[in-house]
Every structure is written in C-alpha cells, then in structure tokens.
Amino acid sequence: MTEASVDWRDAHPSDEPFLRSLWAATFGSTFAMLPEPLASQLCSQQYDMQLAGYRQRLQGCTVHVVQRGAEPVGRVILAAEPARVEIVDLAILPAFQGTGVGSEVIRRVLAEAAGTPVQLWVEHSRPRARALYERLGFVEVETSATHARMEWHG
C-alpha cells in the first residue's frame, strides 16, 4: 500500500481548532510545567501573537494546512515577493515528523518558486530541521543568538 500524497490548501476559519492544537503539539511543551488552565491559556495567547506578528510583519503572507491525503498534519506559512519567497513557518505534527512530509512541502515550495530565492529562519535549538534544510540545498547566510537565516538559490 502506498503512502497518501502530501499537499496543502489555504487555511479556513474552520481550521482554527486544528491549527491551535498543532501549535500546542509543536510548541506547547514550553508551558508543560505550568498548571492548567494557565498552560492552555498561555499557549493560546502565544499562538495568537505569533500569527498576528507574522501578518503584521509580512503583509500578504498566506497560511496553508498541510495534508497527507485528507488528514491535516501541519501548516506552512508563506510570504511571496517578486524577488524572494519566504517560508515563514513550517510546523508538522510530531507523529508525522521524520516521515517525509516536511521534505515534500519544501520541495513543492522550491518547485513553485521557479528559481526565485527561497529564505527561512531556523532556531538553533532545532538541529533536525536545520539538517533537513541543508539536505535540500539551503545554506546559512546570517545568524543571530537564537536563529539562522538560510537561503536556497535554485
């Protein structure tokens, strides 16, 4: 039996519960030592602030739900400009990390960029993500205390 294909679609308001649960699954461990309902409230606030920050900084960014077959398994946020495409955020449910979903999403972004440079930022604390980006041809072009900016030039 073959694996279901990976695709994405525009996020809709009805996706909000999934997107919040995805954020909690991928970043919520930050609040794990806090009691409920405080941990859930902080997690929800952080999700709201992150998305608002992306939309303010990158007007016109698009939010997509990543699917394997019909099942939502992640999100990708993209900002496309004439001179570059930025992968603003890529988050995959932990159960699907390491299964090729992220690679397929990035390969599609690179194919659709059609030779336009593609940029992203990766946290230094995420070496598996960085290794994936390097395998796909991204190189570090800038670094800060917490992140590295990487670029791909087809």
Side-chain angles (χ1 to χ4, degrees):
M1 186 168 143
T2 61
E3 292 280 334
S5 65
V6 174
D7 200 1
W8 72 62
R9 60 174 173 73
D10 291 344
H12 303 288
S14 62
D15 293 310
E16 193 71 17
F18 167 73
L19 293 171
R20 286 182 180 282
S21 68
L22 170 68
W23 199 94
T26 54
F27 297 105
S29 63
T30 305
F31 307 109
M33 67 181 123
L34 298 174
E36 287 296 340
L38 179 60
S40 294
Q41 290 169 343
L42 287 173
C43 198
S44 181
Q45 289 173 348
Q46 288 295 309
Y47 168 83
D48 291 338
M49 289 189 309
Q50 182 189 55
L51 193 55
Y54 289 156
R55 288 191 167 137
Q56 180 180 15
R57 181 175 65 90
L58 301 160
Q59 294 181 3
C61 70
T62 56
V63 180
H64 307 277
V65 173
V66 176
Q67 298 182 163
R68 177 173 266 172
E71 182 178 6
V73 298
R75 81 168 181 189
V76 62
I77 301 176
L78 301 171
E81 299 174 1
R84 71 181 178 97
V85 173
E86 182 175 350
I87 301 172
V88 178
D89 189 52
L90 175 60
I92 306 297
L93 285 172
F96 291 90
Q97 293 174 6
T99 66
V101 171
S103 297
E104 287 190 49
V105 170
I106 294 169
R107 284 188 186 104
R108 178 174 166 186
V109 171
L110 300 179
E112 291 183 7
T116 301
V118 176
Q119 299 177 350
L120 56 80
W121 289 86
V122 62
E123 294 178 29
H124 296 309
S125 63
R126 298 190 177 269
R128 286 180 57 208
R130 182 185 175 114
L132 166 65
Y133 304 143
E134 289 173 342
R135 279 195 309 274
L136 294 173
F138 285 82
V139 295
E140 182 179 312
V141 295
E142 183 181 344
T143 191
S144 74
T146 58
H147 291 76
R149 183 168 63 96
M150 302 183 79
E151 286 185 354
W152 173 88
H153 296 270

